[in-house]
Amino acid sequence: MPYDPSAFAPFAVTVDLVVLTVRRHALCALAVRRGEPPFQGRWALPGGFVRPDEDLSQGAARELLEETGLCAHDPDAPAQVNGAHLEQLATYGDPKRDPRMRVVSVAHLALAPDLPAPRAGGDANSARWAPVEDLLHQSGYGRDGEQAAPLAFDHARILADGVERARSKIEYSSLATAFCPPEFTVGELRRVYEAVWGVALDPRNFHRKVTGTPGFLVPTGGTTTRQGGRPAQLFRAGGATLLNPPMLRPEV
Amino acid sequence: MPYDPSAFAPFAVTVDLVVLTVRRHALCALAVRRGEPPFQGRWALPGGFVRPDEDLSQGAARELLEETGLCAHDPDAPAQVNGAHLEQLATYGDPKRDPRMRVVSVAHLALAPDLPAPRAGGDANSARWAPVEDLLHQSGYGRDGEQAAPLAFDHARILADGVERARSKIEYSSLATAFCPPEFTVGELRRVYEAVWGVALDPRNFHRKVTGTPGFLVPTGGTTTRQGGRPAQLFRAGGATLLNPPMLRPEV
DNA sequence: GATCATAGTCGTCTGCCTGACGATAAACAC
DNA sequence: GTGTTTATCGTCAGGCAGACGACTATGATC
């Protein structure tokens, strides 16, 4: 990297967040409504400028805290504090992606359990959880009759990349537990997989697989009937992060 | 992403390249010697500033061409032109990673077949292929008696991340063929896996696996004896990019 | 209280894939 | 020819996943 001042050009650097959760059996992402041009009034991913003295992961954690109240531990390593997992996703730097100036955005992926309604500087109307299906296919209208416009900037692409990352990563890692509360049942974990992948899984084979993978789940001893039916054992996430052999995503 | 001028700060944005190849049964990376401070005389990854009018992937492809002569097709999608695969790896933005100023580096990973000695602006002494083992563990001396100093900046970390990406990605994708010439034998492909993973694989089981995976390899009809022994069939990479089920990396 | 619906948990069976490894084939070196 | 090297085919046993039957324990309903 030779330092050639004639080749140097200043860029603005931002972090954008793909914050995913599972609500009502659907994979949802956090979206905020833009208050100023460009794309005023359109939905976008939360994000902001990186500050001069903070690392990219620090900036992402700060934005996550500001937008959701979630606290992410050192986001450089996989983190699980206050339920939030945060990792770098990819970087987007098309010269025309922001009409105002040259902006390079380092997107991050955050996974969180189901949360209360988001806050965005106190303005409840400017942030919401939306099913990723609705955000990505802007055909038709949302549940509340509101027309679904495409996300601002290249955020649809970023969201799609984040969703794909989450879908593939729960195959071979224990990351699906990041969508669950600290204690959860096998059935709740299965519903996470079903929501993220959009498929139905056999409860018996799923139970055999996750309870048979060493280090994936540790029983807490408690039980719950919050899902109805027979009481289910409660588990916490074990120390294992990589699943070997992986969970198999059904074909088609 | 509200535009708050008080929060905006200019950054320098660079691309750094982890260019990997397999030479003499070892996974090697391209390293260039730095001509100016900081880290003058130390080895570093090739890279340079992103130009104001080019995308990140374009910048990475340009640097790759300048440093190796390799031409990478649209690097946004997985590419295979002139033998080079190029993809974005990760972005590194620690405020102190470059003592001169705030530099955010978007690292890219390139995989190439064995190439002639690298050129670096005609200065043959300032670029070389080095085994990643030597570059990452700076214990002792290199093959030519030269003391191995750590890579400049945070490039050891970047290189380690790139190597880990390559090691895991050849498990579930056909990416290992990017290390091979256009036509190759099953044995040559196996030696790629062995070099990248640093393990020995059973030739019979490997042969069964790769020839039995639909779309992985397509026979060209030719044979070769360039590896000695019985003539081996020649193959080209098939259309499949994802291997399902994946190649299994042996434990330990 | 009996019945039903719901959800959880344990087993069984079959087929596929992998690892271990024997055996054969086709080139080259001497 | 003999030995060496590499490629390729086959066999066999163990493990794991998909399909699915059976049983259990709760709340809801009649």
Side-chain angles (χ1 to χ4, degrees):
Chain A
M1 184 170 29
Y3 179 17
D4 178 4
S6 70
F8 167 75
F11 290 71
V13 177
T14 63
V15 289
D16 285 324
L17 291 176
V18 177
V19 190
L20 299 180
T21 194
V22 174
R23 317 193 90 197
R24 287 185 250 116
H25 292 196
L27 182 63
C28 294
L30 183 62
V32 299
R33 197 190 289 274
R34 288 186 56 78
E36 324 86 22
F39 301 100
Q40 185 167 19
R42 292 267 284 280
W43 293 98
L45 299 178
F49 288 101
V50 177
R51 296 184 178 165
D53 57 345
E54 71 184 357
D55 194 1
L56 302 173
S57 54
Q58 289 170 8
R62 175 179 53 76
E63 292 287 342
L64 182 64
L65 178 63
E66 290 174 8
E67 304 277 355
T68 68
L70 279 170
C71 183
H73 196 56
D74 179 283
D76 223 347
Q80 281 273 50
V81 170
N82 214 341
H85 167 92
L86 184 60
E87 68 178 44
Q88 192 186 109
L89 177 59
T91 300
Y92 302 83
D94 186 297
K96 298 191 185 64
R97 65 181 293 277
D98 189 319
R100 294 166 297 180
M101 57 180 156
R102 184 68 194 264
V103 177
V104 168
S105 175
V106 183
H108 285 69
L109 175 67
L111 309 184
D114 197 358
L115 296 171
R119 67 170 206 213
D123 185 354
N125 197 21
S126 65
R128 65 161 183 164
W129 293 107
V132 296
E133 291 300 313
D134 297 356
L135 291 174
L136 289 178
H137 321 316
Q138 309 84 14
S139 50
Y141 293 75
R143 183 190 330 277
D144 47 1
E146 174 187 37
Q147 176 147 29
L151 289 173
F153 303 107
D154 52 359
H155 288 186
R157 163 94 190 281
I158 298 175
L159 174 60
D161 290 349
V163 169
E164 184 48 41
R165 168 83 66 97
R167 281 183 176 149
S168 64
K169 207 156 182 181
I170 65 174
E171 287 188 50
Y172 59 88
S173 79
S174 61
L175 215 52
T177 58
F179 287 113
C180 295
E183 297 199 352
F184 53 90
T185 69
V186 173
E188 290 166 346
L189 183 62
R190 176 170 48 82
R191 280 180 276 276
V192 165
Y193 275 91
E194 290 178 335
V196 175
W197 285 344
V199 298
L201 300 175
D202 185 287
R204 297 158 292 190
N205 293 334
F206 184 87
H207 188 276
R208 177 183 61 191
K209 172 68 178 175
V210 297
T211 57
T213 299
F216 192 7
L217 301 181
V218 294
T220 67
T223 61
T224 183
T225 62
R226 61 187 172 217
Q227 299 292 338
R230 169 177 164 179
Q233 285 187 73
L234 284 170
F235 295 87
R236 274 183 291 104
T241 56
L242 258 49
L243 306 183
N244 206 323
M247 294 286 304
L248 290 186
R249 173 158 35 164
E251 319 279 330
V252 184
Chain B
M1 181 169 33
Y3 179 14
D4 177 5
S6 69
F8 166 76
F11 292 71
V13 176
T14 64
V15 288
D16 286 323
L17 290 176
V18 177
V19 190
L20 299 180
T21 194
V22 174
R23 318 192 89 199
R24 288 186 248 114
H25 292 196
L27 183 63
C28 295
L30 184 62
V32 298
R33 196 192 289 274
R34 287 187 55 78
E36 325 86 21
F39 301 100
Q40 186 168 18
R42 293 266 285 279
W43 293 98
L45 299 178
F49 288 100
V50 177
R51 295 185 178 164
D53 57 345
E54 70 184 358
D55 194 1
L56 301 173
S57 53
Q58 289 170 8
R62 175 179 53 77
E63 292 287 342
L64 182 64
L65 178 64
E66 290 174 7
E67 303 277 355
T68 68
L70 279 170
C71 183
H73 196 55
D74 179 278
D76 223 346
Q80 281 271 54
V81 171
N82 215 344
H85 166 94
L86 184 60
E87 67 178 46
Q88 192 185 110
L89 177 59
T91 300
Y92 302 83
D94 187 297
K96 297 192 185 66
R97 65 181 295 276
D98 189 319
R100 295 166 297 182
M101 57 179 155
R102 185 68 194 265
V103 177
V104 168
S105 177
V106 184
H108 285 69
L109 175 65
L111 308 183
D114 197 357
L115 297 171
R119 67 170 204 211
D123 185 354
N125 197 22
S126 65
R128 65 161 182 164
W129 293 108
V132 296
E133 292 300 312
D134 298 356
L135 291 174
L136 290 178
H137 321 317
Q138 310 84 11
S139 51
Y141 293 75
R143 183 193 329 279
D144 47 1
E146 175 187 36
Q147 176 146 29
L151 288 173
F153 303 108
D154 52 0
H155 287 187
R157 161 96 189 281
I158 299 175
L159 174 60
D161 290 348
V163 169
E164 184 48 41
R165 169 83 65 95
R167 281 182 176 150
S168 64
K169 208 154 181 182
I170 64 174
E171 287 188 49
Y172 58 89
S173 79
S174 61
L175 215 52
T177 58
F179 287 113
C180 295
E183 297 200 349
F184 54 89
T185 70
V186 173
E188 290 165 348
L189 183 63
R190 175 170 49 84
R191 279 179 278 275
V192 165
Y193 276 91
E194 292 178 333
V196 175
W197 285 345
V199 298
L201 300 175
D202 185 286
R204 297 157 291 190
N205 293 335
F206 183 86
H207 188 277
R208 178 183 60 191
K209 171 69 176 173
V210 296
T211 57
T213 299
F216 193 7
L217 301 182
V218 293
T220 67
T223 62
T224 182
T225 62
R226 61 186 172 219
Q227 299 290 337
R230 170 176 164 181
Q233 286 185 73
L234 284 170
F235 295 88
R236 274 182 290 104
T241 56
L242 257 49
L243 306 183
N244 206 326
M247 293 286 306
L248 291 186
R249 172 156 38 162
E251 317 279 330
V252 183

